[in-house]
């Protein structure tokens, strides 16, 4: 199939050609005919699969044909609003279609004036749009088509109530389109409330992991104090073209980005405390390639869709599995491969395993060049363990840890030993390295229980 099969008007077809589109993506192939027929639609697809063109092209074709006049697209973040508006403008510019991005952090005046002057496509964040409707600023804006883009991200960011309120201001006689990467129950309930007999389409296979299988996922277990050194050494990888580093806090974003800039990296930071003009400048620079490394918080990066991100780094492990999925989903888009790297301390290792199990991710252990390999570490560790005489103090110590699962206790002790041995080998070899890296405990390791240990004590 080609885009010629959809019989778009010549001006829309010209926009498609100039954009370099050849064949429709799976979500475009499924969605475009349904939207053109006037059906309400729920579309499930990962970010970066061509959703904007999937709903934008048939909508703008309807505008050209005179079937509709106004369109509203609701997105979770200002960055995504600007991005979607820009893409729709470029696809529809030969048809004279005007688009406008509407978001908070700037004055109302220009946005209201352009809406009232008759701009055809408004792309807005929920908060600013709700304010405009509540204050009666855009009473004349009655869209015939409404699109909810990245609905699950809007749910994660707490916008569900705003979305419901916005729909009280919108005419009931409308076509409604909802796109989401995941379908949690609140999104399904929302779809029942605001859509009429929708068609459901999905380009996510039933057996597909919630993380993109084109993304290589690696983790490094490090000492807490060595995160900066680890990031610096990993950024020296020649394959990195454009990278995104996720931090937990705004202060951490500022510190890490300034540290990398001081070392000569083309780096910028992005978080919610920044002035809107500076945020826009950072995103623009990152998109154009002037900035190669963007350090950001989860909230600031929501909806951020930048082409060509080859690597995502988790400076700290995210707080929950869904955040992990959203983070690493910034790479490996549009069919391209990507790499996601997570730095995790021994204390965070259990949390990493929980995330791995919940999202079905396949994370692989990796080591940093210059470190002792596993066989060297384990060989030295065995020597140390075999040479130790067991005294009563050891049993007393184990008994004092009754609040901890015995299996977990043994793992933690083993991790401490491995880190100690790694540092000893590094120091002995006089080798600079970013950190002490260890591998996860082997699944085949025999599980020793407290009951077995006590039995052995009595026989000896």
């Amino acid at each position: 199939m080609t885009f010629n099969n959809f019989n778009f008007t010549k001006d829309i077809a010209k926009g498609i050609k100039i954009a370099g589109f050849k064949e429709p993506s799976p979500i475009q192939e499924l969605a475009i005919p349904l939207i053109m027929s006037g059906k309400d639609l729920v579309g499930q697809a990962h970010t970066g699969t061509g959703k904007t063109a999937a709903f934008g092209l048939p909508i703008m074709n309807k505008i050209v044909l005179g079937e509709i006049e106004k369109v509203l697209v609701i997105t979770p973040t200002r960055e995504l609003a600007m991005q979607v508006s820009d893409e729709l403008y470029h696809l529809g510019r030969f048809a004279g279609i005007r688009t406008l991005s509407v978001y908070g952090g700037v004055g109302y005046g220009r946005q209201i004036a352009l809406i009232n002057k008759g701009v055809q496509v408004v792309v807005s964040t929920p908060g600013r749009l709700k304010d405009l409707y509540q204050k009666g600023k855009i009473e004349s804006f009655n869209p015939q088509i409404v699109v909810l883009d990245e609905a699950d991200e809007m749910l994660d960011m707490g916008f569900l109530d705003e979305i419901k309120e916005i729909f009280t201001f919108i005419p009931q006689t409308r076509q409604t389109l909802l796109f989401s990467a995941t379908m949690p129950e609140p999104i399904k309930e929302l779809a029942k409330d605001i859509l009429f007999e929708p068609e459901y389409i999905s380009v996510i296979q039933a057996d597909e992991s919630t993380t993109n299988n084109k993304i290589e996922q690696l983790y490094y277990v490090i000492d807490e104090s060595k995160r900066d050194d680890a990031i610096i050494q990993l950024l020296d990888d020649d394959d990195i073209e454009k990278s995104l580093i996720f931090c937990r806090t705004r202060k951490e974003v500022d510190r890490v980005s300034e540290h990398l800039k001081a070392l000569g990296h083309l780096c910028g930071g992005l978080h919610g405390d920044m002035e809107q003009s500076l945020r826009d400048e950072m995103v623009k620079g990152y998109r154009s390639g002037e900035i190669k490394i963007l350090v950001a918080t989860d909230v600031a990066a929501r909806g951020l869709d930048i082409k060509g991100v080859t690597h995502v780094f988790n400076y700290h492990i995210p707080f929950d599995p869904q955040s992990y999925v959203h983070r690493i989903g910034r790479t490996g888009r549009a069919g391209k491969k990507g790499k996601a790297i997570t730095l995790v301390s021994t204390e965070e290792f259990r949390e990493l395993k929980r995330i791995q199990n919940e999202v079905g991710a396949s994370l692989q252990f990796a080591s940093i060049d210059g470190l002792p390999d596993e066989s060297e570490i384990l060989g030295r560790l065995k020597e140390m363990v075999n040479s130790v005489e067991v005294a009563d103090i050891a049993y007393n110590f184990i008994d004092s840890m009754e609040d901890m699962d015995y299996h977990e206790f043994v793992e933690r002790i083993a991790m401490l030993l491995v880190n100690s041995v790694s540092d000893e080998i590094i120091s002995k070899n006089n080798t600079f390295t970013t950190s002490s890296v260890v591998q996860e405990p082997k699944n085949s390791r025999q599980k020793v229980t407290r009951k077995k240990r006590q039995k052995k004590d009595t026989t000896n």
Side-chain angles (χ1 to χ4, degrees):
M1 175 175 279
T2 68
F3 282 99
N4 292 331
N5 295 101
F6 298 122
N7 295 317
F8 288 125
T9 63
K10 64 178 183 179
D11 289 330
I12 298 298
K14 185 176 180 181
I16 294 170
K17 183 178 180 180
I18 297 298
F21 293 172
K22 303 296 183 183
E23 298 176 354
S25 69
I27 189 65
Q28 292 164 357
E29 188 173 335
L30 292 172
I32 289 173
L34 293 171
I35 297 171
M36 293 179 77
S37 70
K39 294 274 190 180
D40 280 12
L41 175 67
V42 175
Q44 187 174 5
H46 287 300
T47 304
T49 53
K51 294 198 304 295
T52 301
F55 64 74
L57 291 172
I59 284 173
M60 291 188 292
N61 201 68
K62 284 174 173 283
I63 293 174
V64 175
L65 294 174
E67 297 177 9
I68 59 172
E69 295 179 356
K70 307 288 184 183
V71 175
L72 172 63
V73 182
I74 306 174
T75 69
T77 67
R78 64 194 73 184
E79 286 81 17
L80 187 57
M82 290 186 288
Q83 178 183 306
V84 170
S85 178
D86 185 61
E87 183 171 347
L88 294 179
Y89 164 74
H90 281 93
L91 289 172
R93 58 182 166 165
F94 299 107
I97 294 174
R98 292 164 293 165
T99 68
L100 172 67
S101 55
V102 175
Y103 46 83
V106 296
Y108 287 90
R110 178 178 177 276
Q111 295 175 350
I112 295 170
L114 289 172
I115 292 173
N116 291 335
K117 282 182 180 179
V119 65
Q120 293 122 313
V121 181
V122 173
V123 187
S124 179
T125 56
R128 173 52 62 95
L129 186 62
K130 185 192 75 170
D131 287 346
L132 291 175
Y133 272 123
Q134 279 184 334
K135 295 174 180 177
K137 302 291 187 181
I138 52 171
E139 292 179 347
S140 61
F141 183 69
N142 297 313
Q144 290 91 24
I145 296 182
V146 180
V147 183
L148 286 182
D149 192 18
E150 306 281 5
D152 52 351
E153 291 204 16
M154 285 190 271
L155 172 66
D156 288 345
M157 296 174 70
F159 285 132
L160 190 58
D161 290 339
E162 281 87 347
I163 296 296
K164 291 179 179 178
E165 186 167 350
I166 287 168
F167 274 89
T168 65
F169 295 96
I170 297 174
Q172 294 296 309
T173 54
R174 63 174 187 268
Q175 184 179 5
T176 309
L177 314 173
L178 185 152
F179 289 89
S180 185
T182 60
M183 287 292 164
E185 281 304 317
I187 295 296
K188 293 178 182 177
E189 291 299 319
L190 179 65
K192 291 179 183 178
D193 292 339
I194 65 174
L195 279 78
F196 177 73
E197 297 182 353
E199 296 282 345
Y200 287 82
I201 60 173
S202 175
V203 293
I204 297 178
Q205 300 299 319
D207 60 348
E208 185 178 353
S209 165
T210 53
T211 57
N212 188 334
N213 56 18
K214 289 187 177 294
I215 302 172
E216 182 184 4
Q217 300 172 60
L218 307 174
Y219 70 90
Y220 297 80
V221 184
I222 62 165
D223 291 333
E224 182 62 39
S225 62
K226 300 294 185 179
R227 290 187 190 273
D228 285 356
D229 292 337
I231 282 289
I232 291 165
Q233 188 160 337
L234 290 167
L235 285 171
D236 288 337
D237 188 337
D238 292 336
D239 292 334
I240 298 178
E241 297 175 10
K242 187 178 289 186
S243 61
L244 182 57
I245 301 175
F246 280 99
C247 294
R248 284 179 174 173
T249 67
R250 297 164 183 177
K251 286 185 178 180
E252 200 168 65
V253 166
D254 289 336
R255 186 189 60 75
V256 173
S257 60
E258 289 301 321
H259 183 52
L260 292 175
K261 280 191 285 187
L263 294 173
H265 290 282
L266 299 176
C267 181
L270 191 69
H271 59 68
D273 275 350
M274 297 168 61
E275 293 289 335
Q276 181 59 41
S277 58
L278 183 56
R279 287 166 59 93
D280 294 345
E281 181 183 334
M282 288 296 175
V283 173
K284 182 179 180 181
Y286 189 51
R287 184 171 282 123
S288 67
E290 293 177 15
I291 293 174
K292 299 293 186 182
I293 304 168
L294 187 66
V295 186
T297 57
D298 286 291
V299 173
R302 290 283 186 182
L304 188 65
D305 187 11
I306 305 292
K307 294 179 180 178
V309 177
T310 56
H311 290 66
V312 169
F313 293 92
N314 292 312
Y315 184 83
H316 276 289
I317 194 169
F319 289 114
D320 60 86
Q322 201 57 43
S323 292
Y324 178 81
V325 174
H326 285 306
R327 283 183 178 190
I328 74 168
R330 299 297 175 260
T331 186
R333 295 192 170 190
K336 295 183 179 180
K337 293 182 178 180
K339 185 177 288 187
I341 295 172
T342 300
L343 302 181
V344 42
S345 67
T346 54
E347 291 79 10
E348 296 170 322
F349 187 76
R350 273 187 173 272
E351 188 63 20
L352 179 74
K353 298 301 290 182
R354 184 178 73 85
I355 289 176
Q356 182 174 356
N357 291 334
E358 289 196 24
V359 305
S362 177
L363 285 88
Q364 297 181 359
F365 167 78
S367 60
I368 298 174
D369 291 341
L371 291 176
D373 61 25
E374 180 185 2
S375 61
E376 187 177 3
I377 294 172
L378 293 182
R380 176 62 183 134
L381 187 58
K382 288 177 181 178
E383 289 177 13
M384 286 179 61
V385 171
N386 289 332
S387 66
V388 172
E389 293 285 340
V390 180
D392 288 343
I393 190 173
Y395 301 133
N396 294 336
F397 175 55
I398 295 172
D399 290 336
S400 71
M401 303 295 290
E402 289 180 351
D403 59 335
M404 186 181 294
D405 173 75
Y406 190 70
H407 187 211
E408 178 185 355
F409 172 72
V410 173
E411 285 184 346
R412 288 179 180 271
I413 294 296
M415 287 293 191
L416 288 173
L417 284 172
V418 171
N419 277 336
S420 176
V421 169
S422 298
D423 287 338
E424 177 188 319
I425 295 172
I426 291 164
S427 177
K428 182 179 178 181
N429 293 339
N430 238 356
T431 305
F432 170 77
T433 183
T434 61
S435 59
S436 295
V437 178
V438 299
Q439 191 172 18
E440 67 175 287
K442 298 288 186 180
N443 292 332
S444 59
R445 182 194 58 248
Q446 183 178 3
K447 182 175 179 180
V448 181
T449 65
R450 182 176 291 273
K451 183 177 180 181
K452 287 181 181 178
R453 184 189 64 77
Q454 290 172 341
K455 182 178 179 181
K456 185 177 181 180
D457 289 347
T458 58
T459 57
N460 288 339

